[in-house]
Amino acid sequence: MIQLIFSDTIIPFNSDENEIITFLETEHIVEGYEEISNDIGSMKDLTEEEIAKHHNYANMTAYLKKLAEEFPELCTLNSIGKSVEGRELWVLVISKNPKHHIPGKPEFKYVANMHGNEVFGREALLRLAKLLLINYGSNEYLTRLVDTTRIHIMPSMNPDGYERAREGDQMVGPGRDNANGIDLNRNFPKRKIGAPVQVQPETLRIMEWSKSVPFVLSANLHGGTNIVNYPFDDFQHGRSRTGDHDIFVTLAYSYARAHSNMYKRGMRCAGNGGEDFSDPPKGITNGAEWYEVSGGMQDWMYLVPGCFEITIETNCAKFPWAKELPQFWNDHKFALIRYMDLIHHTIHGFILDEQTGKGIANATISVNSRGKILKSYEYGDYWRLITPGTYEVTFDHLHYYPVTKTVTITTDSPSFFLNVTLTPHSYQTHSHQSTTDSIASPINNSQPNSNPIFVSIFALISLVLLKF
Ligand SMILES: [Zn+2]
């Protein structure tokens, strides 16, 4: 069995959730509502009047356009395409320099309202966008988040379904599906062999978008209960856990723990006519162990573009009454902020060509021969979500010699900047083996430690040795 080393503790890979959660609590890797509130400090919030209202398509569109007009330096409003009935699939991008990808800056996304009658996520994202913008420049925590992250906010993936939905719907009202009557969270290409699905316009636009932007982390907001679930949503060969199980448990539990009550034991939506499944006690569950979904979005995000995504069930009622929104907003706001910040818990940097110094796109990044093998983006930039431990990280590309680095991530330094230089096959004509060297200290927001001199010396030594 592969084992991960967490500081002094060894936790078996694929250990169950409880062991990982105990570790996260003991090592103080996760924080609760009050602690995060203190970390963020004083911030401007929306008024109760602003929060206690729903936004239909026309109002949502006006709200987003107004933000884009008021904060042109910090956000830009895009549409990634149209729904079946021709409504725009709006995405508000928030960052310092929001219009384009900045090499090295990670991309985050929140998508809500995929099921048109599950609406709190949609309202939460509208408020979150405004919260980030009105606090920029005055709240240090939120300013740093906006400066260092490109944040994509899609309040509604299914605007057609929303227009059919009804306020007060607890569980079974109309509007869940898109205008063609298709459940979008069963509409992505499946891992399992089955009847081919008719991929819907909304699904297709999300797939194209997610392949065009190097998303590192995301969450998909649903409603109907109060829990986070993580991939896989389906079983294959009797298994439903990914090779990055510890990371998904950490992501999911970080959200649940930051919520005012999601992490607490107890019946979640009893008496609400709600989904009363087995009631996972810590507020998180593996998707398929809860109930199986094939063709869901989170599985596809992980498997195809390599974006780590969790699914957050925000509250019991599908379409709560407007007067209930302030309470839900208070429950979720710190968790929504905290989760975005986890995008910085990565090994990240640039993969560079030794000869030209330019970034190498599509180089692979693999960790301890397990979990998802990710690829570098256009500028050679890469991000690999990680939890505390010591790892062998291998960087490889068809036209280059692979390099393996040993990286130690600690609880105190969850962000590790690592530039890597690869030697092209064409540059070195003699045989060349993969190199392994250790990086002594974690680097947090410091200078790149690209080391072409080391590579050159290594190449020289190799050449001398080969002569003998
Ligand atoms: Zn849903």
Side-chain angles (χ1 to χ4, degrees), residues 405-417:
K405 305 275 190 187
T406 302
V407 174
T408 297
I409 304 293
T410 64
T411 305
D412 293 337
S413 299
S415 168
F416 195 106
F417 190 99

Side-chain angles (χ1 to χ4, degrees), residues 219-324:
N220 175 15
L221 276 57
H222 286 248
T225 184
N226 188 31
I227 199 167
V228 178
N229 94 64
Y230 57 86
F232 289 116
D233 266 332
D234 71 357
F235 283 102
Q236 199 174 45
H237 310 304
R239 289 173 61 92
S240 64
R241 290 175 176 184
T242 70
D244 288 303
H245 183 63
D246 59 322
I247 294 174
F248 277 113
V249 171
T250 304
L251 293 170
Y253 190 65
S254 294
Y255 191 96
R257 187 69 178 83
H259 184 273
S260 61
N261 56 51
M262 195 184 279
Y263 68 101
K264 289 180 180 168
R265 182 179 289 274
M267 295 299 282
R268 297 187 181 277
C269 298
N272 194 49
E275 297 173 40
D276 183 22
F277 293 96
S278 54
D279 189 34
K282 306 274 188 177
I284 69 168
T285 183
N286 169 271
E289 287 170 20
W290 189 32
Y291 67 99
E292 191 177 3
V293 167
S294 198
M297 185 157 75
Q298 68 178 7
D299 289 2
W300 184 86
M301 283 296 164
Y302 174 70
L303 288 169
V304 182
C307 171
F308 284 58
E309 178 166 295
I310 60 171
T311 300
I312 301 165
E313 301 280 353
T314 55
N315 63 294
C316 296
K318 297 276 181 183
F319 201 139
W321 299 103
K323 65 178 184 206
E324 298 176 278

